[in-house]
Amino acid sequence: MNKELKNFIYKVNTKDYRRCLFPGGNCQEKTSNAHSIQNSRIFDLLEKDKHLVGFKIVPKSKTGPYLDFDEKISKNKASTFQGLCNNHDTEIFLEIENQSLDLKNNSKQLFLFAYRAVLKEMHSVMISTLKTQSTFQKQVELGLLPKNKPSNFGIWAGGWVSNAYMMHLYKKKYDQVYLNETYKDISHDLIILESQAPTIAVNSLFSLDHITIRDDVPRVAINIFPCNESETAVLFSYLNYEASLIRDELKEIFFARPLMKRRLLSKLVLRNCENFFLAPDYFESWSNKKKELVKKYFNETIYGQDIEIESSEILLF
Ligand SMILES: [Zn+2]
């Protein structure tokens, strides 16, 4: 077996997955809650009484769990993940936390926004894989599943491991860019939405599962955040060799007129992202019909597929 794969499977099966994702995997420090979206600067432009609006999972026995609005997310907890120790979180992101942003020229800053989405996704894939693996092992232990014969659950759990391994290889490419400071290895497309009040912040990484490139799926990092009271930045980031394929998929958004651009972006976010937060004042201005429509679209496109739905009200800007 490939040594790296073996090592990776070992890590997945190590129960306490609270390890720092700093490149190299050698950091032994305890992880702390790291923000994937900046608390000062970005959330400050969205919050009301230190709260934001997002989604939460509601368990429902008859129809299975679904996602509903969470109107009281503390801005100090929103978007956090346990993927880095305190020192490394500070060290890596210093340049976008404390310095003024120059999104048009500073390739390191653009890279750091994308890197955060990659680290957050790596952490969440590891947690899901770990949970699936533990459930699988428990069922084998209890004799509910055969140990050495394939079972549907076993195949599903194995799928998670290979998924996480591909993500681990992808993250390593970003690690190399970080360590070697070769920020130009990542391509970006930046859209500035003008005359746009702060309504939403997003930090996410999603894959285009219907495309294959070099034995993997291409991935897109997306960051959306208000720059000030009248401008919102939308930043797409990709590995250079995946850029032209991805740009072709996203071109409808790039060439759309202002309102259509916002509609297409809204649907893209709802289909592909979980890590996004809305301004409470803006959310309160929605009609009940709009809230229901957005919730329905979010729930029914959970696997990234589009659905036919009357969509002029699906707008997050
Ligand atoms: Zn660390």
Side-chain angles (χ1 to χ4, degrees):
M1 192 191 277
N2 172 317
K3 202 174 158 199
E4 180 154 6
L5 178 60
K6 202 169 156 188
N7 185 23
F8 177 77
I9 291 173
Y10 171 76
K11 276 192 207 160
V12 166
N13 287 294
T14 315
K15 289 256 169 2
D16 180 26
Y17 195 77
R18 280 190 64 184
R19 49 171 61 234
C20 174
L21 292 171
F22 191 78
N26 299 321
C27 178
Q28 302 298 325
E29 289 298 312
K30 220 173 113 190
T31 56
S32 64
N33 270 333
H35 272 274
S36 58
I37 300 173
Q38 203 180 358
N39 194 3
S40 56
R41 242 175 0 200
I42 295 179
F43 282 160
D44 280 354
L45 284 163
L46 298 172
E47 58 111 5
K48 184 185 183 186
D49 302 329
K50 307 251 178 275
H51 285 85
L52 299 159
V53 175
F55 276 95
K56 64 181 172 197
I57 296 178
V58 181
K60 204 180 183 188
S61 55
K62 272 189 189 160
T63 48
Y66 74 102
L67 295 143
D68 201 353
F69 291 110
D70 186 346
E71 296 179 36
K72 277 278 167 215
I73 300 179
S74 155
K75 89 187 245 289
N76 293 328
K77 290 192 182 150
S79 91
T80 56
F81 69 112
Q82 297 257 342
L84 289 167
C85 71
N86 213 357
N87 287 342
H88 282 137
D89 182 42
T90 309
E91 181 186 324
I92 296 175
F93 297 109
L94 198 65
E95 188 144 346
I96 53 172
E97 284 290 320
N98 295 346
Q99 296 182 21
S100 58
L101 297 179
D102 179 8
L103 300 176
K104 298 222 164 88
N105 301 303
N106 190 324
S107 58
K108 180 173 182 184
Q109 289 184 345
L110 298 180
F111 163 79
L112 290 176
F113 277 102
Y115 196 27
R116 236 181 198 159
V118 171
L119 293 174
K120 168 121 189 4
E121 179 65 11
M122 184 74 244
H123 179 256
S124 96
V125 169
M126 287 302 291
I127 294 292
S128 302
T129 308
L130 180 63
K131 282 184 183 160
T132 321
Q133 279 293 303
S134 315
T135 314
F136 173 62
Q137 279 158 10
K138 195 73 202 164
Q139 292 192 74
V140 170
E141 238 172 79
L142 296 171
L144 299 170
L145 286 175
K147 191 175 182 184
N148 297 319
K149 276 195 229 154
S151 61
N152 284 338
F153 194 92
I155 292 166
W156 187 63
W160 267 105
V161 176
S162 64
N163 198 359
Y165 180 61
M166 295 314 282
M167 185 58 217
H168 160 78
L169 296 181
Y170 185 81
K171 176 204 172 257
K172 276 186 71 177
K173 296 190 172 102
Y174 267 78
D175 289 347
Q176 286 309 312
V177 173
Y178 175 74
L179 294 172
N180 301 329
E181 301 184 28
T182 49
Y183 307 118
K184 294 265 156 70
D185 288 349
I186 307 296
S187 300
H188 307 275
D189 286 301
L190 174 69
I191 301 170
I192 301 289
L193 302 176
E194 313 269 356
S195 305
Q196 176 62 58
T199 62
I200 184 170
V202 182
N203 169 269
S204 202
L205 183 85
F206 63 91
S207 52
L208 300 173
D209 295 337
H210 57 289
I211 305 174
T212 306
I213 181 164
R214 300 192 190 174
D215 284 338
D216 195 8
V217 289
R219 293 175 179 81
V220 182
I222 177 170
N223 280 276
I224 302 180
F225 54 92
C227 308
N228 51 50
E229 292 293 343
S230 63
E231 283 178 324
T232 288
V234 180
L235 176 66
F236 291 101
S237 312
Y238 355 87
L239 298 174
N240 278 352
Y241 69 82
E242 299 183 340
S244 69
L245 263 176
I246 294 171
R247 283 180 172 138
D248 197 47
E249 292 287 311
L250 300 177
K251 63 176 184 280
E252 214 190 333
I253 295 176
F254 298 144
F255 294 116
R257 299 172 76 88
L259 179 60
M260 184 51 90
K261 203 186 277 293
R262 285 161 170 80
R263 283 196 182 131
L264 292 170
L265 283 168
S266 301
K267 289 178 83 179
L268 181 87
V269 167
L270 289 166
R271 276 203 311 275
N272 295 293
C273 311
E274 296 156 41
N275 192 34
F276 65 92
F277 300 89
L278 300 164
D281 275 339
Y282 172 63
F283 178 75
E284 279 159 25
S285 74
W286 292 6
S287 67
N288 284 339
K289 186 183 159 223
K290 175 169 173 174
K291 287 178 186 167
E292 286 306 311
L293 204 63
V294 169
K295 187 163 74 180
K296 182 175 156 68
Y297 188 78
F298 187 57
N299 273 285
E300 292 187 7
T301 58
I302 205 96
Y303 297 107
Q305 81 287 18
D306 203 356
I307 56 160
E308 284 299 323
I309 195 166
E310 193 284 303
S311 65
S312 66
E313 284 202 78
I314 297 183
L315 196 56
L316 305 175
F317 299 91

